[in-house]
Amino acid sequence: MSRSFKEALEHRRSYYHITNSSPIPDEELRGILEFGLQHVPSAFNSQSTRIVLLLGENHKKLWMITKEILRQRVASADAFARTEAKIDTSFAAGYGTVLFFENMTVVKKLQASFPTYKDRFPVWAQQTSAMHQLAIWSMLEDVGFGASLQHYNPLIDKKVEEEWGINPNWELIAQMPFGVPLQLPENKADSTLEDKLIVFD
């Protein structure tokens, strides 16, 4: 399907019940990520965002790694059982995972080149990543996927770097598991716009 920009933003939701199936070929999936990397803006045109797509056994391995790390940190067996069930049914059960990184070598070069804004570049890198996350999330949903955004970093950073040979200068920002949704998400509660928008005319 093809929606307007407003429709894409309106329909983008967090899906926690997804399947290991895809409505599109992997080449088209790759094209979505390439489109996002090419067209989403970045501060100072830094183009610092990096993306890794995990499919098949690599996707499953990510969530197995995450479970094993959490198993060592969760206080009780009961608490871990809930965590394990969530990972197994909400994330690992999907078709793939998009990993979002920021290349800190780029950020550090900008800090050196523009010392006046040195403290802001790490913040702007996070904003750059967030724009990529939203754009790609919306495009994935537009073709029939359901996705959610997860943040198991920095707990899994080192293992991810080792397992997939990730450049150590790439900082992991977020993980986006996706797959064909099994059910619609619950309705979300929106706060009033009066508290969020001020207009001076």
Side-chain angles (χ1 to χ4, degrees):
M1 71 186 76
S2 182
R3 298 178 172 131
S4 70
F5 183 62
K6 282 185 176 180
E7 288 171 334
L9 288 179
E10 182 180 10
H11 286 90
R12 185 230 41 86
R13 297 289 305 281
S14 294
Y15 286 86
Y16 296 109
H17 301 283
I18 53 178
T19 65
N20 180 23
S21 56
S22 173
I24 59 173
D26 288 350
E27 192 59 32
E28 187 175 342
L29 176 57
R30 180 187 178 111
I32 288 172
L33 304 183
E34 290 176 343
F35 186 91
L37 286 168
Q38 186 173 6
H39 295 289
V40 172
S42 56
F44 283 64
N45 193 32
S46 64
Q47 300 180 48
S48 54
T49 296
R50 303 292 183 265
I51 288 176
V52 173
L53 174 62
L54 301 178
L55 299 173
E57 291 304 314
N58 285 291
H59 159 72
K60 293 177 183 177
K61 186 177 291 185
L62 170 72
W63 296 108
M64 182 177 66
I65 288 171
T66 303
K67 277 199 303 184
E68 290 310 307
I69 290 173
L70 292 174
R71 188 191 305 274
Q72 300 167 21
R73 292 175 173 267
V74 175
S76 69
D78 288 343
F80 179 73
R82 291 191 297 272
T83 297
E84 184 175 35
K86 181 179 181 181
I87 289 176
D88 287 345
T89 61
S90 298
F91 312 142
Y95 186 75
T97 302
V98 182
L99 301 180
F100 293 89
F101 297 84
E102 283 295 300
N103 187 342
M104 300 312 292
T105 298
V106 174
V107 175
K108 290 173 183 177
K109 284 182 179 178
L110 287 167
Q111 288 177 307
S113 298
F114 302 95
T116 301
Y117 305 110
K118 181 178 181 180
D119 293 341
R120 304 307 300 165
F121 281 111
V123 176
W124 293 335
Q126 292 281 340
Q127 293 170 354
T128 294
S129 181
M131 287 191 285
H132 282 82
Q133 292 164 31
L134 175 60
I136 288 169
W137 195 348
S138 299
M139 287 189 286
L140 288 175
E141 182 149 343
D142 199 40
V143 297
F145 282 118
S148 66
L149 194 63
Q150 304 304 316
H151 301 90
Y152 287 98
N153 45 293
L155 294 179
I156 64 173
D157 290 17
K158 192 62 180 175
K159 287 291 187 180
V160 168
E161 178 186 322
E162 292 171 353
E163 183 64 38
W164 287 283
I166 304 298
N167 186 324
N169 293 312
W170 293 12
E171 181 179 325
L172 183 59
I173 306 297
Q175 308 86 53
M176 186 179 290
F178 62 91
V180 172
L182 283 169
Q183 62 188 56
L184 293 175
E186 296 180 3
N187 291 330
K188 58 181 178 179
D190 290 326
S191 58
T192 174
L193 286 173
E194 293 177 1
D195 298 331
K196 297 188 282 190
L197 175 66
I198 300 175
V199 177
F200 297 96
D201 56 13

